[in-house]
Amino acid sequence: MKKLITMLSCCLALGASASTMLLETFEPVDGISAGPIDGQNGWVVSNGTAAVQTGVVQTGSQALEIDQATVMHDVSSTNSAVWIRFQARISGAPTSIPSVDNLSTSAAFFVNTNLHLVAYSNDVPVDLGVSMPVDSWKRFDVYCDYDLMVWNLSMDGTTIGAGLPLHSTNTTIGSVRLSSSSPAYVDQLDVADHELAAGAPDTDLDNIPDWWELKYFGGITAATAASPSANNGMTYLETYIAGVQPFAYDPFVFTHAEPGNLNWIPQPDRLYDIQWTPSLSSNFTTIATVEWPIGEFTDTPDPEEPTGFYRLKARLP
Ligand SMILES: [Ca+2]
Ligand SMILES: [Ca+2]
């Protein structure tokens, strides 16, 4: 089976995985009850016990506590790229480091006995020189690219491991796994086949996230945002915003199935200005703005101006 793994081991060992394929809040509203997680929402526990509790939470009223156990959830995707985000908190240094011995493991990281974050680069654990604080929630973002066979790891929006070689015999994610040898907490786990909204790590602050620069330019700061792309004169930044290819003609498409009804594929966090003009010799004016995840707009017919032209402008917030 396909496997990508995220091990949170207090040891946070992560091995990563892709629409949202898995969004787990550990909340009652999502069908999770306090108590053992095994068997709830498809979670499987091995090598110990892990339970949902109310004492230590990052968001809402419940979070998962893992203590001497491994927690796993299958995920599946047809996409070769996966974005994973979760909140984690440890309560002390681990007594031992985890073994990551599954050859189909794609990406994994953990906290070592010195509280340093360690990431797997292929089969080799590499100390990232970054400390995991105790008793403090930290947000981790993992980006895995199975085309390039590389992955990125960030903590609280700062990339701490970039372009790490990805060891996998698979072409996409199969599961997410979290384990810990001492009490550790996990909340707000989101696994998706698209960029997750809000806060994608952007090391050079050029508004193009690290994952995109890595994917198309081979390094997390390698793209020059304002340079013209090979796509119809758009800059690289504009191709990223529109969600189109930077190296080939790939127009942003919106369809017009019925009069006044526009449809397009929205990108995370984008705003879309719907602009209109009665004739191409006149300026376009913005008649409405809609926000991701909405990818549709229906105009109200104006009997005074029965014909005209629409334009859609994608932008960042
Ligand atoms: Ca929660
Ligand atoms: Ca950037």
Side-chain angles (χ1 to χ4, degrees):
M1 95 190 258
K2 297 163 183 166
K3 217 161 241 195
L4 207 205
I5 214 189
T6 287
M7 294 203 285
L8 170 76
S9 188
C10 177
C11 289
L12 262 184
L14 186 151
S17 128
S19 90
T20 288
M21 308 179 309
L22 173 63
L23 173 59
E24 181 57 85
T25 64
F26 302 106
E27 295 301 308
V29 68
D30 291 324
I32 294 279
S33 306
I37 189 74
D38 190 45
Q40 299 198 63
N41 274 9
W43 288 98
V44 177
V45 178
S46 58
N47 305 320
T49 304
V52 176
Q53 48 77 51
T54 59
V56 183
V57 300
Q58 199 280 331
T59 303
S61 63
Q62 299 184 160
L64 178 65
E65 178 179 2
I66 307 171
D67 186 5
Q68 296 184 356
T70 296
V71 178
M72 200 189 89
H73 200 293
D74 283 345
V75 285
S76 65
S77 173
T78 55
N79 198 339
S80 61
V82 173
W83 289 256
I84 303 169
R85 175 177 290 174
F86 62 97
Q87 297 279 345
R89 173 175 169 142
I90 62 174
S91 53
T95 53
S96 62
I97 62 170
S99 60
V100 178
D101 54 8
N102 189 326
L103 289 180
S104 59
T105 294
S106 302
F109 73 90
F110 61 88
V111 178
N112 73 10
T113 54
N114 297 322
L115 290 173
H116 282 194
L117 287 157
V118 178
Y120 271 85
S121 171
N122 278 332
D123 287 339
V124 181
V126 175
D127 189 328
L128 299 174
V130 176
S131 292
M132 175 73 180
V134 168
D135 295 333
S136 175
W137 286 101
K138 288 290 165 185
R139 190 188 98 191
F140 289 94
D141 279 86
V142 174
Y143 168 71
C144 285
D145 189 323
Y146 288 85
D147 289 327
L148 300 173
M149 296 303 283
V150 293
W151 68 289
N152 291 345
L153 173 64
S154 79
M155 182 166 73
D156 281 354
T158 299
T159 296
I160 56 176
L164 295 160
L166 188 60
H167 180 181
S168 180
T169 54
N170 304 313
T171 56
T172 184
I173 190 169
S175 64
V176 172
R177 196 163 80 198
L178 303 155
S179 66
S180 183
S181 59
S182 58
Y185 303 87
V186 176
D187 209 349
Q188 292 296 114
L189 172 69
D190 198 347
V191 182
D193 63 3
H194 55 77
E195 175 184 303
L196 293 166
D202 176 15
T203 296
D204 59 7
L205 302 177
D206 64 356
N207 289 320
I208 304 181
D210 292 354
W211 73 264
W212 195 95
E213 298 200 41
L214 179 77
K215 182 177 182 65
Y216 292 105
F217 289 83
I220 61 170
T221 61
T224 303
S227 291
S229 76
N231 189 354
N232 207 26
M234 284 193 266
T235 65
Y236 288 124
L237 175 59
E238 288 168 339
T239 63
Y240 160 68
I241 293 171
V244 295
Q245 294 291 323
F247 300 135
Y249 178 66
D250 178 27
F252 178 78
V253 174
F254 66 95
T255 57
H256 190 224
E258 293 172 37
N261 179 256
L262 309 177
N263 289 272
W264 63 96
I265 298 173
Q267 299 295 310
D269 265 359
R270 289 1 173 233
L271 297 175
Y272 294 89
D273 295 329
I274 293 93
Q275 303 181 332
W276 189 85
T277 184
S279 81
L280 291 175
S281 59
S282 307
N283 291 330
F284 279 90
T285 54
T286 297
I287 57 173
T289 297
V290 300
E291 188 173 354
W292 178 87
I294 296 170
E296 185 206 12
F297 177 74
T298 301
D299 199 3
T300 306
D302 182 349
E304 308 255 314
E305 294 181 309
T307 61
F309 300 86
Y310 290 104
R311 185 167 78 179
L312 196 59
K313 181 178 181 181
R315 59 186 171 92
L316 295 172

